[in-house]
Amino acid sequence: MRTLIILSLIVSIFTVSNFAWAASCERCYARIADGQAFCEACTLNKDKDLSEMKSSEEQIISTIKSSRESYRNALTELIQFYMDIGYQSRVKKARKELKALNKIPQLKYLSADEDVSDISPTQNIEEANILFQDGKNYKNILNLASRKSKLSYAAARLKKILDEYPESDVADDAAYELAEVYESRHFKDYEGSVYYYKKCFELNPNTDRPARYMAARAYDMFLHDYKEAVRHYEMALKTCRDEELLRYANERLAALRSEGY
């Protein structure tokens, strides 16, 4: 009987304690009394000017985004280098690393009104225009003997637009043209092509190019990443203006969904 009384007291104390400390501080998650929002320490600091902290946050996030882009660009250049010298085993390794990088979720830490770093490609820049036309000229040369080298020249010029003139109004078109170069039978770099198709519609969500459809097709036909294919086909249905491509997108979506994707 005595044991039961002691156990009852312990349970009662534990229950009351949990009830009294049922909440957590919204900042540091320390346990606080129910009905409060902040612990004592955070209450003293909650009115502190956060502008300096916000500035630091934006700088760190900008560094992360820049580092991601530099890493991806370096891998793309490495793939191109190995392709140029015919080192296929290392091409496969670099492509595998790029594929893994592209699958890492890139979380958006800032809200739309906070993130002011996104570039809008709306400026008419003469240097970018010249590079774009030059790149297209090389891309369209049909001489089979020098086709691959001409495509390499085209890729270098188109990539320079994205690296040096991302605010140019031809940047999204340059990304699309570059994606086609990487997808061509001379390169068959499908991870690279997907990246630049996506870059196209990220730079210009209203692009006339069927970039979302082409990204979906590359995921579907070449990379066999059917979940991403479904996601991009769905986006293509909302934006693509080409009736033939829309018909095919609907057909592939139906087929992939029937397979459980």
Side-chain angles (χ1 to χ4, degrees):
M1 185 67 181
R2 183 179 177 185
T3 303
L4 287 174
I5 293 172
I6 293 172
L7 285 173
S8 298
L9 286 171
I10 292 173
V11 170
S12 299
I13 292 169
F14 182 76
T15 303
V16 170
S17 175
N18 271 356
F19 180 78
W21 300 92
S24 297
C25 174
E26 293 180 7
R27 282 193 176 177
C28 68
Y29 300 104
R31 298 186 71 180
I32 55 177
D34 196 27
Q36 294 182 356
F38 302 100
C39 67
E40 184 177 353
C42 290
T43 299
L44 295 174
N45 293 320
K46 70 185 181 68
D47 295 325
K48 183 179 178 181
D49 182 10
L50 298 179
S51 60
E52 184 177 342
M53 293 173 61
K54 175 57 67 177
S55 177
S56 296
E57 179 191 24
E58 290 171 353
Q59 289 176 11
I60 294 168
I61 291 171
S62 177
T63 300
I64 291 172
K65 292 172 71 175
S66 177
S67 297
R68 285 175 183 154
E69 194 74 15
S70 296
Y71 183 20
R72 183 177 285 107
N73 288 340
L75 282 173
T76 302
E77 290 177 9
L78 186 62
I79 291 168
Q80 183 61 57
F81 172 76
Y82 286 142
M83 290 179 69
D84 288 343
I85 64 175
Y87 211 147
Q88 291 303 314
S89 62
R90 293 192 179 179
V91 168
K92 290 181 180 179
K93 288 182 179 179
R95 281 180 172 172
K96 185 177 181 180
E97 186 169 354
L98 180 60
K99 184 177 182 180
L101 175 63
N102 288 335
K103 287 188 174 182
I104 296 174
Q106 296 186 11
L107 305 182
K108 195 170 182 66
Y109 297 99
L110 301 178
S111 61
D113 58 334
E114 291 177 309
D115 193 353
V116 296
S117 61
D118 290 340
I119 296 170
S120 179
T122 57
Q123 297 183 27
N124 184 4
I125 301 174
E126 184 62 24
E127 293 87 346
N129 296 340
I130 293 171
L131 284 168
F132 183 68
Q133 192 57 54
D134 203 16
K136 285 194 67 175
N137 289 341
Y138 276 118
K139 180 172 175 278
N140 294 331
I141 291 175
L142 299 178
N143 187 330
L144 296 180
S146 61
R147 177 69 172 153
K148 185 172 181 179
S149 64
K150 300 305 182 188
L151 287 174
S152 295
Y153 297 153
R157 284 152 178 78
L158 295 167
K159 191 171 182 301
K160 188 172 183 179
I161 296 171
L162 298 173
D163 290 343
E164 298 184 13
Y165 308 105
E167 69 279 13
S168 163
D169 57 8
V170 298
D172 56 316
D173 292 319
Y176 188 90
E177 297 283 343
L178 188 53
E180 289 189 328
V181 170
Y182 282 118
E183 189 178 315
S184 70
R185 66 183 181 86
H186 299 279
F187 288 83
K188 296 182 180 179
D189 181 358
Y190 303 119
E191 288 87 1
S193 69
V194 161
Y195 173 72
Y196 285 108
Y197 283 133
K198 291 165 69 173
K199 188 77 170 177
C200 173
F201 64 75
E202 286 169 0
L203 285 169
N204 181 8
N206 299 315
T207 178
D208 291 331
R209 307 281 192 135
R212 295 172 179 85
Y213 169 82
M214 294 301 292
R217 177 178 172 274
Y219 275 125
D220 186 7
M221 308 305 294
F222 304 124
L223 299 177
H224 309 300
D225 187 340
Y226 300 119
K227 288 184 178 179
E228 281 299 309
V230 166
R231 191 167 73 87
H232 284 77
Y233 278 133
E234 288 173 343
M235 287 194 290
L237 291 179
K238 299 175 183 177
T239 57
C240 185
R241 300 177 179 87
D242 187 304
E243 292 297 327
E244 185 66 20
L245 298 184
L246 286 172
R247 182 186 63 78
Y248 183 80
N250 272 310
E251 289 177 358
R252 284 302 297 155
L253 264 178
L256 290 170
R257 284 169 176 163
S258 70
E259 296 172 11
Y261 293 103

